[in-house]
């Protein structure tokens, strides 16, 4: 079978460049003048109620982000109960004395805000972010979650199921597996840092509602002893934010 002849490029097409070769193309572009870094200067002070506040003004957008930080997290987990602090922190937003988990989620959504709870190796955190005009209500939600969580039994079981599913899912994530192996090698299994923050399937199955509440009772003792920090990243007037934080917390 005879082969078809290869198509011939038209004159001026094919291998020729699209742009005309000009001298300036031979030199790489030069960098522009370096811009001076203008970082906000954080402020630190105490409110009338004794709460230490770190304030970082970032003017330009009418947004506020606030975090209530307790200086205890996974480092306080009993060796036989890895993941306890994280489980307890996750439960904070699952119902309070004034709101169910569903109502809380709806109130946050109505504001166009966010409200998150969690735990790290050495801290437990409740954070909200909202437009400045909605911040009083958002801060009220943060205070409700931090001080009046009820740990409904049905929500504990739902969260337990979710966290067990997360443990299974993490077994197929090579990055998480590597991090867990490194942590165990560095700290050993007799140190809280030697475990994944989510804990183990066994510890998640064995933890009780009373133990989860006990963690928060301990954290609230830090609130009473003023061993907590309140951080604010704001784009509005500092004085108004301080007054609101003092009122709600």
């Amino acid at each position: 079978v005879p082969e078809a002849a290869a198509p011939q490029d038209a004159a001026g097409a094919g291998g020729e460049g699209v742009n005309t070769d000009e001298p300036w193309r031979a030199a790489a572009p030069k960098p522009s003048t370096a811009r001076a870094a203008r970082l906000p200067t954080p402020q630190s002070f105490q409110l009338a109620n004794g709460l230490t506040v770190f304030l970082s003004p970032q003017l330009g957008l009418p947004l506020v982000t606030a975090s209530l930080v307790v200086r205890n997290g996974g480092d306080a987990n009993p060796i036989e109960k890895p993941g306890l602090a994280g489980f307890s922190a996750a439960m904070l937003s699952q119902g309070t004395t004034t709101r169910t988990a569903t109502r809380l989620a709806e109130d946050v959504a109505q504001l166009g805000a966010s409200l998150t709870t969690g735990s790290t190796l050495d801290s437990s955190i409740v954070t909200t972010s909202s437009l400045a005009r909605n911040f009083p209500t958002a801060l009220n939600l943060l205070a409700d979650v931090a001080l009046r969580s009820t740990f409904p039994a049905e929500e504990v079981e739902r969260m337990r199921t979710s966290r067990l599913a997360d443990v299974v899912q993490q077994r197929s994530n090579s990055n998480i597996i590597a991090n867990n192996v490194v942590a165990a090698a560095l700290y050993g299994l007799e140190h809280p840092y030697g475990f994944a923050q989510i804990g183990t399937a066994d510890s998640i199955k064995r933890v009780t509602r009373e133990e989860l509440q006990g963690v928060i009772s301990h954290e609230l003792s830090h609130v009473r002893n003023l061993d907590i920090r309140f951080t604010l990243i704001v784009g509005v007037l500092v004085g108004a934010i301080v007054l609101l934080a003092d009122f709600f917390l």
Side-chain angles (χ1 to χ4, degrees), residues 82-84 162-164 166-167 170 195-200 203-204:
L84 181 61
S162 175
R163 292 176 77 82
L164 286 171
D166 288 342
V167 169
Q170 287 183 3
F195 293 91
Q197 284 296 290
I198 197 171
T200 64
S203 67
I204 294 171

Side-chain angles (χ1 to χ4, degrees), residues 91-93 95-97 144-151 213 216:
M91 284 301 304
L92 289 175
S93 59
T96 71
T97 56
D144 195 26
V145 164
L147 301 175
R148 294 181 285 274
S149 293
T150 56
F151 294 77
Q213 289 178 307
I216 296 305

Side-chain angles (χ1 to χ4, degrees), residues 181-239:
V181 170
V182 170
L186 285 175
Y187 301 105
L189 299 181
E190 296 300 320
H191 191 284
Y193 285 9
F195 293 91
Q197 284 296 290
I198 197 171
T200 64
D202 182 60
S203 67
I204 294 171
K205 290 176 182 177
R206 289 189 294 110
V207 71
T208 66
R209 176 173 178 265
E210 291 70 28
E211 287 173 323
L212 295 172
Q213 289 178 307
V215 172
I216 296 305
S217 295
H218 179 263
E219 301 302 346
L220 288 179
S221 71
H222 286 270
V223 175
R224 289 189 290 270
N225 294 328
L226 305 179
D227 188 24
I228 58 175
R229 299 294 182 267
F230 190 63
T231 66
L232 287 163
I233 300 176
V234 304
V236 293
L237 293 177
V238 172

Side-chain angles (χ1 to χ4, degrees), residues 24-239:
W24 63 266
R25 297 184 185 279
K30 295 181 179 180
S32 61
T33 304
R35 296 182 180 181
R38 292 183 177 87
L39 303 178
T41 302
Q43 304 171 35
S44 176
F45 51 88
Q46 276 196 333
L47 301 180
N49 60 13
L51 186 67
T52 300
V53 176
F54 293 98
L55 183 69
S56 179
Q58 295 186 9
L59 303 180
L61 292 175
L63 300 174
V64 181
T65 297
S67 296
L68 188 68
V69 183
V70 180
R71 296 190 296 178
N72 258 351
D75 55 346
N77 287 334
I79 296 302
E80 69 277 9
K81 295 288 178 65
L84 181 61
F87 196 155
S88 185
M91 284 301 304
L92 289 175
S93 59
Q94 302 307 308
T96 71
T97 56
T98 61
R99 295 175 176 87
T100 64
T102 301
R103 174 62 186 278
L104 182 61
E106 290 174 348
D107 287 351
V108 172
Q110 285 291 330
L111 293 175
S114 65
L115 179 66
T116 59
T117 63
S119 176
T120 67
L121 287 175
D122 49 20
S123 65
S124 297
I125 307 170
V126 183
T127 298
T128 187
S129 182
S130 75
L131 290 172
R133 66 172 181 266
N134 296 331
F135 183 65
T137 307
L139 188 58
N140 192 12
L141 295 175
L142 183 149
D144 195 26
V145 164
L147 301 175
R148 294 181 285 274
S149 293
T150 56
F151 294 77
E154 65 276 13
E155 295 295 343
V156 170
E157 295 310 313
R158 184 189 63 79
M159 185 63 68
R160 190 193 312 275
T161 300
S162 175
R163 292 176 77 82
L164 286 171
D166 288 342
V167 169
V168 173
Q169 187 177 32
Q170 287 183 3
R171 292 172 184 165
S172 61
N173 188 311
S174 59
N175 289 331
I176 293 178
I177 292 173
N179 289 337
N180 292 343
V181 170
V182 170
L186 285 175
Y187 301 105
L189 299 181
E190 296 300 320
H191 191 284
Y193 285 9
F195 293 91
Q197 284 296 290
I198 197 171
T200 64
D202 182 60
S203 67
I204 294 171
K205 290 176 182 177
R206 289 189 294 110
V207 71
T208 66
R209 176 173 178 265
E210 291 70 28
E211 287 173 323
L212 295 172
Q213 289 178 307
V215 172
I216 296 305
S217 295
H218 179 263
E219 301 302 346
L220 288 179
S221 71
H222 286 270
V223 175
R224 289 189 290 270
N225 294 328
L226 305 179
D227 188 24
I228 58 175
R229 299 294 182 267
F230 190 63
T231 66
L232 287 163
I233 300 176
V234 304
V236 293
L237 293 177
V238 172

